[in-house]
Amino acid sequence: EVQVTINGRSFAVPKAYSILEAARANNIFIPTLCAHPRLKPIGRCKACVVDMEDGNLAMACSTKVADGMSLRTDTPRVKAKAAAVFRELKAKTMPAPPVRRLDRSEFENTFDAVTACDVDTNGMITIDPSMCVDCGRCEAACSKMQEMGILESTGSGVRPHGGLRLDETRCIGCGQCSSFCPVGAISEVSHIERLYAAIAEGKTIVAQTAPAVRVAIGEECGVAAGEVSTGKMVAALKALGCNYVVDTDFAADLTIMEEGTELIGRMQKKWAATPEQAEKMGPMFTSCCPAWINNIEIRFPEYLDNLSTARSPMMMMGSVVKTYFAKKMGINPADIFHFAVMPCTAKKGEIDRMQMVTGGMKVVDAVLTTRELGKLIRKHHIDFPALPNQEFDSPIGASTGAGRLFGTTGGVMEAALRTAYEVLAGKGISTLSYTPVRGLAGIKEASVEIPLKDGPTKTLRIAIASGIANANVMMCDIQAGKRSYDFVEVMACQGGCIGGGGQPKSLDPKIIEKRQSAIYSDDERATQRKSHENPEIMAIYKEFFGEPNSHKAHELLHTTYSD
Ligand code: HC0
Ligand code: SF4
């Protein structure tokens, strides 16, 4: 007998065995096609490759074991090789779609096993190369549009570059690849089962809906692009079994109170400092886009202290639902299942951040993308266009135009200016629609003159980047001292959340413009247009938080980041 190590476990096997025989004797799966236990090794199909300790690949069927040999059958390149062999053979020999039969062949069974274990995920997106038709769109979205360069369209199914698994790459989870994929080979990690399970368990179901979802969900369900479907979206969620539907836009207003207060405090320090000290402080960055946070953590960790400590509106809403709201409604927070409908795939990763656990609890239990909500509405045969409009549930369902703006690039900035200007100047900003931050340019800049109510006029230098490629250009310029700002908004997707990777797939070249106009019109229609004028925001501070940046607010509404 000889000792061999397979996937880190040691086995004694007869020395006449091949690697394949040694693996099979110990119940370790190696896919094969030409090999048969009663025939001598043929060595033709090459599906049985394994990774040897010296970095070479060997064929398990025709390589004999040796004492001390160490190998792996579970590395990405081994799985990829096997899947590629099977896909190629299937394409060659079985061009017609497989017919479901009871007497499945050995080839079909092995094909399923090999391609299923080839599915790769990082908890935000999932890649199934067996479904890939090699159109190259995902690679173009990732490498050309986002300039992230994570994916490779290999000619035998898309996968991450360099034989890496997705969670070993620098993927930020923006999901753009999934929104351009025509076949669903790349998709969001589905959380639909979590919702079904919670309904079956009899939990109290509370949904929140992001600003950008209401201007896009209609595209999934028979409403023209560019229409705002807020009331129908609430009605659909109720029809799907939600007990309460609350508004992420309310939490966006809450974010303005917290982040705005943080900005004002920072600017007062900056304006009192010497120019050198002020320059050293650098800008404050918005922190609501999870793909942008992933990007800063991976690529620019030296700027982590410049991120606002405010949690994103989605996470703030989670904290509020499981504390203030649960108490008001008389529900035990442990009995609540709280999910968010988001235009985003990276939000699926954000809810699992350790720093966000509050009172020992995950505050948001699942994230459904706009596309997943569309799928549910269609699956349950809900006639969306015919639904009557329904209102969000109080006391966390009211929003202002400022909160609604968050869904587009420049929206957080515009909303922040409406409140911060008024606090600093003692009077409102002259124009509510602040055009320098509007539109779809990748980088927008402005200097806002603010006549302080108790002093001179000061300048706030602002910038907005949308699309992570633009953000990275801006970051490199900031690092090199070529650009200097006080407050910077970044959204990882072009156009902001309206162009998010979880939004409906669309072939309309003007789709982002249409959704953006819908957001601006939603702001104009609002009764209040400044976050601090939201009556439910005033109530939550009076009854619960005290004031912005209070101790309680810090505990529930702020966070830290990982380096
Ligand atoms: Fe966005 Fe958000 S605006 S990130 O773009 O800030 O996803 O729509 O929900 O959280 O509000 C996405 C959209 C959100 C958050 C809000 C922010
Ligand atoms: Fe690239 Fe974004 Fe897809 Fe990750 S999620 S592979 S960064 S496009």
Side-chain angles (χ1 to χ4, degrees):
E1 289 206 329
V2 293
Q3 286 290 327
V4 290
T5 306
I6 308 181
N7 302 339
R9 286 162 59 209
S10 186
F11 305 99
V13 296
K15 71 169 188 265
Y17 269 17
S18 66
I19 292 173
L20 180 63
E21 286 167 316
R24 290 209 168 143
N26 291 291
N27 293 323
I28 294 168
F29 173 67
I30 295 179
T32 55
L33 188 58
C34 62
H36 190 285
R38 290 171 51 222
L39 295 176
K40 285 212 160 74
I42 300 168
R44 184 178 300 173
C45 76
K46 301 193 173 50
C48 68
V49 288
V50 295
D51 237 323
M52 304 305 288
E53 205 173 25
D54 61 6
N56 289 323
L57 291 173
M59 280 206 288
C61 68
S62 50
T63 309
K64 290 271 178 247
V65 291
D67 200 34
M69 179 184 263
S70 178
L71 59 108
R72 299 204 73 94
T73 67
D74 57 357
T75 58
R77 68 171 182 164
V78 161
K79 290 184 181 175
K81 174 76 184 161
V85 164
F86 271 81
R87 270 196 302 273
E88 205 175 304
L89 281 170
K90 187 166 184 178
K92 228 192 266 171
T93 57
M94 298 183 182
V99 182
R100 278 230 163 266
R101 301 187 317 263
L102 283 176
D103 57 337
R104 286 167 62 79
S105 67
E106 179 196 334
F107 176 86
E108 286 169 304
N109 286 331
T110 318
F111 178 89
D112 285 353
V114 164
T115 51
C117 67
D118 204 28
V119 172
D120 188 7
T121 181
N122 56 6
M124 299 177 281
I125 58 161
T126 169
I127 305 181
D128 182 347
S130 71
M131 291 170 72
C132 178
V133 291
D134 274 307
C135 67
R137 277 196 199 164
C138 58
E139 187 181 335
C142 184
S143 299
K144 300 276 166 27
M145 187 172 116
Q146 295 290 67
E147 292 182 17
M148 297 302 287
I150 306 295
L151 301 173
E152 186 173 29
S153 194
T154 59
S156 63
V158 61
R159 56 187 73 252
H161 266 295
L164 296 173
R165 284 204 327 266
L166 203 46
D167 61 5
E168 297 168 330
T169 69
R170 286 148 67 105
C171 167
I172 57 172
C174 68
Q176 286 302 323
C177 47
S178 71
S179 71
F180 283 96
C181 178
V183 291
I186 302 190
S187 61
E188 62 274 73
V189 170
S190 176
H191 285 183
I192 288 178
E193 287 309 319
R194 295 188 191 186
L195 172 62
Y196 282 156
I199 293 174
E201 272 178 59
K203 296 253 185 187
T204 301
I205 312 289
V206 184
Q208 62 164 304
T209 58
V213 174
R214 65 207 65 194
V215 299
I217 183 64
E219 296 164 34
E220 290 275 324
C221 333
V223 172
E227 290 205 18
V228 187
S229 302
T230 314
K232 293 184 193 306
M233 175 185 70
V234 174
L237 284 161
K238 291 267 166 94
L240 287 168
C242 296
N243 302 93
Y244 301 97
V245 182
V246 296
D247 197 357
T248 314
D249 295 17
F250 163 87
D253 283 332
L254 191 57
T255 301
I256 290 301
M257 303 304 286
E258 293 298 321
E259 192 167 332
T261 304
E262 190 184 354
L263 176 67
I264 290 165
R266 195 181 164 93
M267 290 318 298
Q268 281 164 340
K269 266 197 217 138
K270 221 172 167 180
W271 286 327
T274 64
E276 295 76 37
Q277 283 170 331
E279 200 46 46
K280 237 175 137 186
M281 282 174 74
M284 183 171 107
F285 294 108
T286 56
S287 56
C288 40
C289 168
W292 159 237
I293 300 291
N294 293 342
N295 189 66
I296 282 252
E297 286 177 339
I298 298 168
R299 292 182 180 75
F300 302 100
E302 66 275 28
Y303 284 98
L304 283 173
D305 289 342
N306 292 69
L307 281 171
S308 162
T309 63
R311 293 184 192 185
S312 72
M314 176 184 81
M315 296 311 297
M316 285 197 186
M317 192 53 136
S319 296
V320 167
V321 162
K322 296 213 175 165
T323 55
Y324 175 77
F325 182 76
K327 199 158 170 216
K328 283 226 157 199
M329 297 292 153
I331 315 166
N332 177 355
D335 292 335
I336 294 179
F337 176 83
H338 179 44
F339 75 101
V341 188
M342 293 280 140
C344 176
T345 47
K347 292 263 170 209
K348 289 181 185 263
E350 187 183 7
I351 62 173
D352 286 333
R353 285 182 163 258
M354 293 309 294
Q355 300 97 327
M356 300 290 187
V357 171
T358 304
M361 234 182 329
K362 256 177 80 169
V363 292
V364 180
D365 299 295
V367 170
L368 263 58
T369 60
T370 314
R371 288 196 296 268
E372 284 177 284
L373 177 59
K375 202 192 268 183
L376 277 180
I377 291 171
R378 291 191 304 272
K379 187 172 163 197
H380 289 262
H381 305 292
I382 294 170
D383 185 358
F384 189 82
L387 286 172
N389 289 333
Q390 268 185 266
E391 300 279 328
F392 286 108
D393 288 294
S394 272
I396 48 175
S399 70
T400 68
R404 297 176 190 186
L405 284 174
F406 269 55
T408 168
T409 167
V412 182
M413 184 61 75
E414 192 167 344
L417 283 179
R418 288 183 190 174
T419 290
Y421 187 102
E422 193 158 324
V423 173
L424 287 165
K427 59 174 193 242
I429 191 164
S430 55
T431 163
L432 274 184
S433 301
Y434 188 68
T435 46
V437 303
R438 293 206 163 194
L440 288 170
I443 296 180
K444 295 170 272 189
E445 297 175 307
S447 287
V448 189
E449 300 294 321
I450 307 179
L452 300 186
K453 61 176 177 243
D454 43 12
T457 293
K458 292 285 184 189
T459 307
L460 183 74
R461 298 161 307 159
I462 59 173
I464 295 134
S466 89
I468 203 68
N470 297 314
N472 285 337
V473 166
M474 179 193 276
M475 288 306 289
C476 292
D477 285 354
I478 291 175
Q479 261 180 333
K482 290 193 214 154
R483 295 174 190 257
S484 181
Y485 307 111
D486 299 312
F487 187 34
V488 177
E489 178 205 292
V490 181
M491 294 290 176
C493 296
Q494 286 186 2
C497 291
I498 46 176
Q503 289 285 59
K505 299 180 185 188
S506 176
L507 293 171
D508 180 346
K510 294 269 176 228
I511 193 67
I512 308 290
E513 282 93 331
K514 288 180 185 170
R515 294 175 188 159
Q516 189 179 50
S517 311
I519 293 261
Y520 291 143
S521 71
D522 208 22
D523 164 36
E524 270 152 34
R525 267 198 303 273
T527 320
Q528 283 96 17
R529 295 181 66 191
K530 299 170 187 165
S531 297
H532 56 277
E533 291 176 352
N534 181 333
E536 293 187 349
I537 288 288
M538 292 187 223
I540 203 172
Y541 278 106
K542 191 154 168 262
E543 293 174 31
F544 193 66
F545 285 119
E547 55 188 12
N549 293 10
S550 68
H551 181 74
K552 193 166 202 167
H554 263 285
E555 194 188 318
L556 295 176
L557 307 178
H558 290 253
T559 189
T560 54
Y561 305 100
S562 340
D563 48 24

